[in-house]
């Protein structure tokens, strides 16, 4: 049980770090400081890799605890807490509640950042189209731009 709790603490720390990094990403996007976006994205990917590795450790530890408690493999934290005696019941429920809160925060921040990225893409596309004087309405299956020029659709092979 102690090993599982330690892994859950590590997972919570990683989720808090991920929430922070996503907030930084949102601030970078909001501030228009996209030069830092590559760094923030790399840091988020590193945290996600650590989180995936920790999830494997947690799943293994949870299965070991489930076996000792007479539960089926791949139990939820709620199921483990219900089967565990105090103080472990309270500890596991605290971990579960904290992780659910962090997951909600991460989902909200991710959605905000996604909206900002979409808005930035649209803005950049409109600017580029205004500068070029032509409009790119689509691409061919081979990846070539299809340009509307004077009502005719032409494949732009220069791209």
């Amino acid at each position: 049980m102690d090993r599982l709790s330690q892994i859950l603490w590590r997972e919570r720390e990683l989720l808090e770090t991920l929430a922070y990094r996503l907030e930084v990403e949102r601030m970078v996007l909001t501030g228009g400081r996209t030069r830092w976006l590559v760094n923030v994205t790399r840091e988020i990917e590193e945290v996600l890799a650590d989180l995936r590795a920790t999830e494997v450790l947690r799943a293994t530890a949870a299965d070991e605890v489930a076996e000792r408690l007479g539960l089926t493999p791949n139990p939820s934290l709620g199921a483990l807490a219900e089967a565990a005696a105090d103080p472990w019941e309270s500890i596991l429920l605290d971990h579960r509640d904290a992780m659910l809160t962090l997951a909600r925060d991460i989902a909200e921040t991710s959605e905000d950042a996604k909206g900002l990225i979409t808005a930035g893409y649209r803005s950049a596309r409109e600017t580029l189209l205004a500068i070029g004087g032509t409009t790119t309405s689509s691409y061919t299956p081979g990846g070539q731009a299809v340009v509307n020029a004077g009502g005719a659709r032409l494949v732009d092979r220069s791209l």
Side-chain angles (χ1 to χ4, degrees), residues 22-149:
L22 288 169
E23 184 65 28
V24 170
E25 178 186 53
R26 189 184 64 74
M27 291 169 50
V28 165
L29 289 167
T30 301
R33 304 292 299 218
T34 55
R35 107 182 215 200
W36 301 112
L37 194 56
V38 171
N39 294 350
V40 174
T41 302
R42 179 181 28 82
E43 291 172 355
I44 289 170
E45 289 172 357
E46 290 170 358
V47 172
L48 288 172
D50 289 345
L51 198 52
R52 282 189 289 274
T54 304
E55 285 179 14
V56 171
L57 294 173
R58 179 187 44 84
T60 303
D63 281 350
E64 290 170 1
V65 169
E67 185 177 338
R68 278 187 260 136
L69 295 174
L71 300 174
T72 60
N74 197 23
S76 68
L77 276 178
L80 288 172
E82 284 179 25
D86 265 333
W88 291 112
E89 177 183 15
S90 299
I91 291 169
L92 293 176
L93 289 174
D94 286 345
H95 281 303
R96 185 195 64 184
D97 294 344
M99 292 169 87
L100 287 172
T101 300
L102 285 165
R104 274 192 294 274
D105 291 347
I106 288 167
E108 289 172 12
T109 306
S110 294
E111 280 301 311
D112 289 348
K114 181 179 168 185
L116 290 168
I117 289 170
T118 301
Y121 166 76
R122 285 187 192 128
S123 176
R125 184 174 186 273
E126 289 170 7
T127 301
L128 290 172
L129 292 175
I131 291 170
T134 60
T135 58
T136 301
S137 59
S138 64
Y139 292 89
T140 66
Q144 296 167 316
V146 177
V147 179
N148 289 330

